[in-house]
């Protein structure tokens, strides 16, 4: 599903109070991070990834790579936090509300 600006705004609002579930450290991007994202996003559909202070990665490049490898869409980047979304057709959590928008 391609996100429209209204859907993206709704997802940013829904993610506002969430805590980051995945952290990217000094080692940067790895397959373990993708696995962690896929495990977390399967249950929640919407997650946050935090880039720690000791990480030297570019946040925009990391967001694009995470989205490509995990099949998620980047909702937004705020500071050092990347918000990702992936629809779960079997157990919708957030996507039920998105269909109404």
């Amino acid at each position: 599903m391609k996100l429209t600006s209204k859907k993206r705004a709704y997802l940013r609002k829904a993610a506002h109070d969430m805590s980051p579930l995945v952290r990217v450290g000094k080692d940067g991007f790895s397959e373990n991070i993708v696995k962690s994202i896929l495990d977390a996003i399967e249950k929640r559909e919407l997650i946050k990834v935090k880039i720690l202070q000791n990480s030297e990665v570019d946040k925009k490049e990391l967001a694009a790579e995470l989205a490509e490898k995990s099949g998620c869409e980047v909702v937004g980047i705020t500071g050092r936090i990347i918000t990702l979304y992936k629809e779960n057709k079997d157990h919708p959590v957030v996507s039920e509300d998105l269909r109404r928008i």
Side-chain angles (χ1 to χ4, degrees):
M1 166 192 339
K2 184 69 179 157
L3 293 177
T4 63
S5 61
K6 285 186 179 184
K7 290 180 181 181
R8 185 164 285 148
Y10 175 82
L11 289 172
R12 276 196 307 267
K13 182 180 174 185
H16 179 74
D17 292 331
M18 295 174 62
S19 297
L21 294 177
V22 180
R23 287 166 176 74
V24 178
K26 65 181 177 184
D27 297 335
F29 178 80
S30 71
E31 291 301 318
N32 288 336
I33 292 174
V34 175
K35 185 177 180 328
S36 297
I37 288 171
L38 290 174
D39 289 344
I41 212 154
E42 182 180 327
K43 295 177 184 167
R44 301 174 189 250
E45 291 187 317
L46 185 65
I47 65 166
K48 286 184 175 180
V49 177
K50 181 172 179 115
I51 303 169
L52 299 178
Q53 292 290 334
N54 61 356
S55 181
E56 306 261 334
V57 298
D58 180 52
K59 59 187 174 185
K60 291 182 181 179
E61 289 177 12
L62 178 65
E65 193 168 8
L66 289 175
E68 179 185 328
K69 300 281 184 181
S70 64
C72 300
E73 291 198 48
V74 177
V75 174
I77 302 172
T78 306
R80 299 180 69 86
I81 296 180
I82 302 167
T83 307
L84 299 172
Y85 169 77
K86 183 176 181 182
E87 183 178 13
N88 184 341
K89 296 187 188 301
D90 297 332
H91 304 288
V93 177
V94 179
S95 57
E96 275 186 355
D97 297 334
L98 276 183
R99 291 187 187 120
R100 296 184 207 134
I101 298 174

